[in-house]
Amino acid sequence: MDRRRFLAGAAAAGVAGLAGCGTASGTVRPPRTPDDRLDEGGWERTRADTEEVLSRTVGGVDVTATAVTRVYDDAALRAAVSERTLGAIDAPLSNVFASRIAFSPNLADIPLESAREELADRAGEVARGQFESQLSSAGLTDVSGSDAGTLTVETGEDASLTEYSAAFEFDALSFDVRGETVTIEEGSVAVEGLLASWIHDGGLLIAGGAYPAENFARTVDRDLSEAITVTVDVDLGLTPDAYREEVRGIVRRVE
C-alpha cells in the first residue's frame, strides 16, 4: 500500500466491498441512489458490483442472497484538495456506497418471521464484517464500531445504524515549493464512517460511507540559508461536519 496516498484517499478506500463467493446469476435491481444530490455535490460513480454474499438453509428452505453495490467518490473534494496542494495530493477523500441484497426466495415469501429476521441479521453481519475488514486493509488502525441506534430513512423504515472511528498513521510527505523540498513529518489523520441497514421490499438495503474526521493543517519552516527561513502553511481546508451531513443525507435517500 502507498501510505502517502492514503493520507488523501484511505478515508474512502474500499469501504463498500461486500466480498462474496462469486458472481451471482440472474438479475437483481440495483439500489436507487439520489442522483440529483450526488450530481450537485460533485460525486462520481467509481464501482458497480454484483456478488453472491450468502447461501444457507433456513427452516428447511435453501436461500441465497445477492448484493448489487454502487460506490461513489467525492470528485469535487478531490479536485479542490489537489488544487490546494499543487497536485501533491490527488486521490479520493470521501466516498459513499449503497447495496441492495436480494434474497431468493424473497424474504417476504419465507413463512417464519424468525427465519426472515435471521437471514436479514446474517446478511447485515456480513456487511459489517466486510466494512470493518476493508477499513483495516486500507491501512486504518484503531477501527472501532459502536451501535448508534437507528436512522430514519426515506423509504419509511428505521435503519440500524453503526458508527465507526479510526485513525491512519501516515509516513512523511514531501512537496516541491519553488524548487525547494518541504517535508511534512509523519502523523495521523482521524477518520469516521457509518453503516446503515434496513429491510425493504422483501430485501435488505445497506448504505454507508467514510470521510475525514478532522482538517489537515501543518506549518513547516524551511531554512534556505543562515539568514533566510521560509514558513509554509499547509491547510487542506477540510470540513468534517459538512462531510458527515452529506454522507448521512445520501444514505437516508437510498432505496
Side-chain angles (χ1 to χ4, degrees):
M1 176 195 303
D2 185 342
R3 288 168 60 88
R4 295 179 181 179
R5 178 180 176 82
F6 186 83
L7 173 61
V15 297
L18 296 179
C21 50
T23 302
S25 59
T27 301
V28 177
R29 181 169 67 87
R32 184 177 300 167
T33 53
D35 292 342
D36 54 345
R37 183 161 187 164
L38 291 166
D39 290 341
E40 290 171 5
W43 297 78
E44 292 182 356
R45 194 173 84 180
T46 57
R47 222 174 114 189
D49 297 325
T50 300
E51 294 177 302
E52 186 178 290
V53 295
L54 184 68
S55 179
R56 65 187 305 171
T57 301
V58 178
V61 179
D62 293 332
V63 180
T64 60
T66 301
V68 179
T69 301
R70 300 290 184 263
V71 184
Y72 299 83
D73 287 343
D74 190 338
L77 176 60
R78 173 177 180 167
V81 170
S82 177
E83 181 179 357
R84 292 169 191 159
T85 61
L86 306 178
I89 298 176
D90 185 8
L93 281 141
S94 180
N95 87 346
V96 293
F97 76 92
S99 292
R100 176 187 301 281
I101 298 182
F103 294 85
S104 179
N106 191 293
L107 278 182
D109 296 330
I110 296 175
L112 294 176
E113 181 178 355
S114 60
R116 295 195 296 270
E117 292 177 351
E118 178 186 345
L119 287 167
D121 288 346
R122 176 54 184 155
E125 289 173 4
V126 170
R128 285 189 293 273
Q130 290 300 323
F131 187 94
E132 294 170 9
S133 175
Q134 292 294 330
L135 289 177
S136 295
S137 66
L140 292 172
T141 60
D142 299 327
V143 177
S144 176
S146 60
D147 184 353
T150 60
L151 176 69
T152 301
V153 292
E154 293 195 3
T155 58
E157 294 87 8
D158 286 332
S160 297
L161 182 64
T162 303
E163 293 183 343
Y164 289 87
S165 63
F168 181 76
E169 299 177 359
F170 60 88
D171 294 330
L173 180 68
S174 296
F175 296 85
D176 288 329
V177 179
R178 295 183 179 179
E180 296 291 335
T181 300
V182 176
T183 300
I184 297 174
E185 295 182 355
E186 61 185 24
S188 65
V189 175
V191 176
E192 290 181 353
L194 63 89
L195 186 71
S197 62
W198 65 103
I199 296 175
H200 177 71
D201 194 24
L204 188 68
L205 290 173
I206 300 174
Y211 48 87
E214 62 179 341
N215 187 29
F216 182 85
R218 299 287 190 277
T219 298
V220 181
D221 294 325
R222 172 72 176 176
D223 293 329
L224 301 184
S225 70
E226 292 183 0
I228 301 175
T229 298
V230 175
T231 298
V232 178
D233 291 322
V234 179
D235 188 341
L236 299 190
L238 304 178
T239 54
D241 289 344
Y243 307 145
R244 182 182 301 109
E245 290 304 312
E246 178 77 351
V247 170
R248 287 174 72 97
I250 293 171
V251 167
R252 287 182 64 251
R253 292 180 59 187
V254 170
E255 58 183 277

